[in-house]
Amino acid sequence: MDFATLLQVLDSTVRLATPLLLACLAGLFSERSGVIDIGLEGKMLIAAFFSAAVAFATGSVWLGMLAGIAASMALSAIHGLASITFRGNQLISGVALNFLASGLTVMIAQVWFSEGGRTPSLMAGGRFSDIALPFAETLRPVPLLGPLYADLISGHSILVYVGFLMVPLTWWVLQRTRFGLRLRAVGEAPEAVDTAGVSVSGLRFASLAIAGVLCGLAGAYLATGLQAGFVREMTAGRGYIALAALIFAKWRPWYALGACLLFGFLQAIALRYQNIDLGAFTVPVQVMDALPYILTVVILAGFVGKAIPPRAGGTPYVKER
């Protein structure tokens, strides 16, 4: 693999890791507050559809992004209502949202566009364009650093940069703000937070709202940044991979970045190298495509070390009388 090919693979890694990273950070906010969010997949999917549909109808990618965020937050509100207000099973609620999004997006897409459950291809105004950072072309001739800056760091859509900037912002919010301290406390000992006079339900709804925004950005990026429109089931399990990355990262933002880049790298390798010749045998393309999902199973099976979730995760809080 020469340097130019390596840059192309790493560029694909960054692009493919962005929706995973946004969804992973969404799950981090939710689960740090004690709410398990299996519905990341459904939120991303419904956000992808509405962002593409509205962007096509209005010609504005920004209106599409706002529509995707609104749709994702609506599912977050349903999840909060079921699991926080009515104290339902959080896992069942999340799975139900995934089924709801899967069926609803295809049905509405067929009714609106009659193209087999997909939206029409988006034109330039309906997609996020790549941004050339300052001095990218000027520095390109500089050995090593020039191509890294011009071809790897520069040339991405704004949501890619937003996704990576969300990592230090998430760390700062969780570790350096009163809101973050209370959010982490709710996930560990909600009764202590309640005793201090802070609303446990309010904090958990706030965390789900943040998760809705981040999943909305992830879905909008899939449909209007990474691709040029919505196709049925286009998330392809990314919500579940994001959950696996979150467990792999042990609910820490910087570790989450590394885990998502790892998954993105495996996907980039699978796209770049359809068949890998190892001499004695050739690795078929199906194995390469399955690598991210195989790693997901390995992580969830506990082979990467013990990951201890927030102690109150998955447990509805009942206020003592």
Side-chain angles (χ1 to χ4, degrees):
M1 183 185 298
D2 57 18
F3 184 63
T5 304
L6 177 61
L7 281 180
Q8 293 175 0
V9 171
L10 293 178
D11 180 75
S12 297
T13 297
V14 170
R15 296 175 187 271
L16 293 169
T18 297
L20 295 178
L21 180 59
L22 288 166
C24 185
L25 294 177
L28 191 150
F29 272 103
S30 177
E31 296 200 10
R32 279 286 196 169
S33 71
V35 180
I36 297 176
D37 199 351
I38 301 294
L40 296 177
E41 178 85 1
K43 293 177 188 177
M44 292 173 65
L45 189 62
I46 202 165
F49 168 71
F50 278 101
S51 61
V54 173
F56 174 78
T58 63
S60 171
V61 68
W62 296 102
L63 290 178
M65 182 188 72
L66 292 177
I69 292 174
S72 177
M73 292 186 70
L75 287 194
S76 275
I78 295 174
H79 184 46
L81 190 66
S83 62
I84 300 173
T85 303
F86 295 111
R87 305 189 187 100
N89 187 293
Q90 297 174 5
L91 297 178
I92 294 176
S93 173
V95 171
L97 290 181
N98 290 339
F99 283 119
L100 174 65
S102 178
L104 196 63
T105 51
V106 174
M107 182 188 70
I108 298 178
Q110 181 61 25
V111 171
W112 285 1
F113 304 108
S114 300
E115 293 194 9
R118 60 181 297 164
T119 62
S121 297
L122 299 176
M123 306 305 291
R127 294 192 63 195
F128 283 105
S129 57
D130 293 338
I131 300 173
L133 296 181
F135 309 111
E137 294 303 320
T138 304
L139 296 175
R140 185 184 294 274
V142 178
L144 189 61
L145 295 179
L148 279 174
Y149 179 71
D151 296 329
L152 182 58
I153 299 176
S154 178
H156 299 287
S157 71
I158 189 171
L159 290 184
V160 173
Y161 299 110
V162 169
F164 281 82
L165 287 175
M166 281 302 302
V167 176
L169 180 59
T170 298
W171 176 86
W172 181 78
V173 168
L174 290 177
Q175 301 295 330
R176 293 291 186 267
T177 66
R178 179 179 297 180
F179 171 77
L181 174 63
R182 290 175 172 176
L183 191 70
R184 287 184 289 123
V186 164
E188 298 292 340
E191 63 281 354
V193 176
D194 190 21
T195 302
V198 179
S199 172
V200 173
S201 296
L203 281 171
R204 288 185 169 178
F205 269 109
S207 71
L208 284 177
I210 295 173
V213 172
L214 292 174
C215 283
L217 292 174
Y221 174 73
L222 279 175
T224 60
L226 195 61
Q227 299 186 32
F230 173 85
V231 296
R232 59 189 304 167
E233 305 295 342
M234 71 180 305
T235 47
R238 284 182 173 90
Y240 302 111
I241 294 177
L243 283 174
L246 182 60
I247 296 171
F248 190 23
K250 296 180 172 60
W251 294 269
R252 298 177 182 176
W254 290 107
Y255 290 8
L257 173 60
C260 292
L261 286 174
L262 173 60
F263 280 107
F265 179 73
L266 292 176
Q267 290 180 326
I269 290 293
L271 291 174
R272 180 75 184 186
Y273 299 100
Q274 297 297 305
N275 294 284
I276 297 180
D277 187 3
L278 298 179
F281 63 94
T282 300
V283 180
V285 61
Q286 292 81 2
V287 174
M288 299 304 299
D289 288 336
L291 271 181
Y293 305 97
I294 293 172
L295 183 58
T296 300
V297 173
V298 170
I299 289 172
L300 295 180
F303 291 111
V304 296
K306 189 175 183 180
I308 302 176
R311 284 183 295 178
T315 306
Y317 177 69
V318 181
K319 186 179 180 67
E320 295 184 0
R321 299 295 180 183

